[in-house]
Each structure stands twice: as C-alpha cells, then as structure tokens.
Amino acid sequence: QVQLVESGGGLVQAGGSLRLSCAASGSIFSINPMGWYRQAPGKQRELVATITSGGSTDYADSVKGRFTISRDNAKNTVYLQMNSLVPEDTAVYYCNARIRRNFGSLYNEYWGQGTQVTVSS
C-alpha cells in the first residue's frame, strides 16, 4: 500500500507565506515525478508545479516567481514553498506522484487527500 500524506495548509493573509509538505510511504521503488495540483471551488483541478527525481521543475504561469517546489528523494517527500500569496491561490492543494512499487512494475499515479489553503484579502 502506498500513501501520500500532506501537511502545512491553513489560513494566511494576502502577501503571506505557507509551506506544504507531502510524504510518500509504503512499498516504493521509485517516484517520478512528484507534484502539486490545486482545485478551487467551482473550478477544475489544475497543475501548480512538478519536479522530477533529477530536480527538473515545471510551474503554472500563475505561480512562477512566487512558488518553489523541491523534493528530498531520500525521504520520498516533496515540498511547496508558497510566497506572496494572493486570494486567488485559495484552493485545496493535492499532492501527486507517479510511483513504481518494484523494479518490474509500471508507474501508477497516486494522490494525497488534499490540504486546504485559504488566503484572505
């Protein structure tokens, strides 16, 4: 069994910062990539940022220059540092990872349970 457990969401004022963490646990051979998505009320889930095992990153245009994704491969953990938050960043943030459980298996996609981020104006 593989689990993604997120932490770090909460309520913050506009201009503030939050750091999200997501730890993958269970039977894991490799993870590539890891990332964050978000879903605001009434909107579709959208990509926020991804990072490969080699450290290559990709960001949504709306968060470039404000958010930074990083990962600790030894801990199977991905982080999202969110600075200069604006009310439009309010959403449930979901951790995502493509995981191989052993050498011979294919990658499967896993999601965390989501963590609420609310930015007040």
Side-chain angles (χ1 to χ4, degrees), residues 6-83:
E6 300 137 337
S7 60
L11 173 64
V12 64
Q13 288 189 330
S17 298
L18 282 174
R19 188 188 193 216
L20 305 183
S21 299
C22 171
S25 63
S27 177
I28 296 171
F29 178 75
S30 65
I31 308 176
N32 199 29
M34 300 186 81
W36 293 93
Y37 289 71
R38 67 185 181 187
Q39 187 166 19
K43 294 188 177 182
Q44 289 188 328
R45 190 173 297 188
E46 63 176 3
L47 170 71
V48 176
T50 60
I51 184 168
T52 67
S53 57
S56 296
T57 59
D58 188 31
Y59 295 92
D61 288 343
S62 59
V63 307
K64 283 180 182 177
R66 301 188 297 122
F67 290 11
T68 302
I69 190 170
S70 61
R71 66 188 280 177
D72 184 332
N73 291 329
K75 295 181 179 180
N76 290 332
T77 299
V78 63
Y79 306 95
L80 186 68
Q81 177 66 43
M82 304 185 293
N83 298 328

